[in-house]
Amino acid sequence: MTQHSRDLSRRRLLFGGAAVGAATLLTACTSNDTPAASTQTKAAGNSEGNNAPGKKVVIGFSAPAADHGWMGAIHANAKAQAAAYSDVEFKEVDGGSNSEAQRSTLGTLIAQKPDIIVVLPHDGKEVNAVALQAMQAGIPIVNLDRAFPDALASRLVIKGDNYGMGVSAGHYIGKMLKDKGVANPIIGEIAGLEIPLTVERSEGFKAALATYGFKVNNRRSAEFTSDSGQREASQLLQALPKIDAIWNHDDDQGIGVLAAIKQANRSEFFMVGGAGSKLAIDAIKADNTVLKATVTYNPSMASSAVSLARLVAQGRGLGDLTELQVPKEVTLASETITKENASSYDKLGF
């Protein structure tokens, strides 16, 4: 293979899409020929699909320590998905409890030269430089969940719809309150860690509530853990003698939120959760607490990240898409789980 050919191959792997020469591009832009419609459609009858074994690839993986249920499911899902492929070797490094620890272990992983790395950073800004280092070394990065600020720090971003999560929660609460005829509701919000994704969630929530003429009266910041949820919920309940609705961003911290509500003997309001944990889904089905709905942010995205990383590393595209390369970004929809549809989400609960 010539150096030019190697450069073209590396461009396709790192950034997706075909590396087209200038002469080819010029011809394509100036030609008067009309291509047949079939040239941009996926060939029918391709029975192999993306699960067919390809070349052996090594997928590195780094995510924060599993200090709560959602993160634990991220680790478990990624590992299980990799094990489902005979052509994947999975190398997980300890993401530790902070960005400094993650940067260190990621550096070690990069030195081992895997074919691709899936990274869920503690904080996108603080791990951005190491991701750039990997990309510059020819190792594509699949950025999972918490985004890097630099677009050049990843080949692919797969994440939940944080803004849409807030929108879904806001519309559920807004419609419920309107249907009840509540004119000036008191609405509480218990957010998670103050990182960009949490800000996006709050912005979506605020925007959706505004369409009903409503607003958040008191917002607290927890840390995605049960203890912090109980602490912040206790303070919220003390600050607001009367509440009509609460949105809690995270079902793991929601365990503590519900404990605080029970301890305070409060039940005049309803609550919406976030993420879609098995405990939350069961509580919604039982309908014996203030929790009436949750909006999804499912850790199944880790499984999808590994599947997509495999395809990128193998130079393959998605089976049902016409394009030859995996897309640059995938955003998963946030759905609303209620008593009426909760049974359909049992298999996704974590």
Side-chain angles (χ1 to χ4, degrees), residues 208-220:
L209 288 178
T211 65
Y212 299 89
F214 300 156
K215 65 179 182 179
V216 174
N217 298 89
N218 194 303
R219 180 183 183 276
R220 311 293 306 182

Side-chain angles (χ1 to χ4, degrees), residues 15 23 55-56 96-97 111 130 133 169 171 188 205 219 245 247 251 289 318 348 350:
F15 301 108
K55 73 171 184 177
K56 185 84 172 181
S97 60
V130 183
Q133 177 189 341
H171 280 310
F205 187 51
R219 180 183 183 276
W247 180 37
D251 288 334
T289 72
L318 286 172
L348 293 178
F350 57 90

Side-chain angles (χ1 to χ4, degrees), residues 62 93-112 117 119 122 126-127 129-131 133:
S62 172
V93 295
D94 184 2
S97 60
N98 54 54
S99 294
E100 183 179 2
Q102 187 173 32
R103 288 195 300 265
S104 176
T105 54
L106 263 176
T108 301
L109 182 58
I110 291 168
Q112 296 174 14
I117 303 175
V119 183
H122 277 276
E126 295 177 359
V127 184
V130 183
Q133 177 189 341

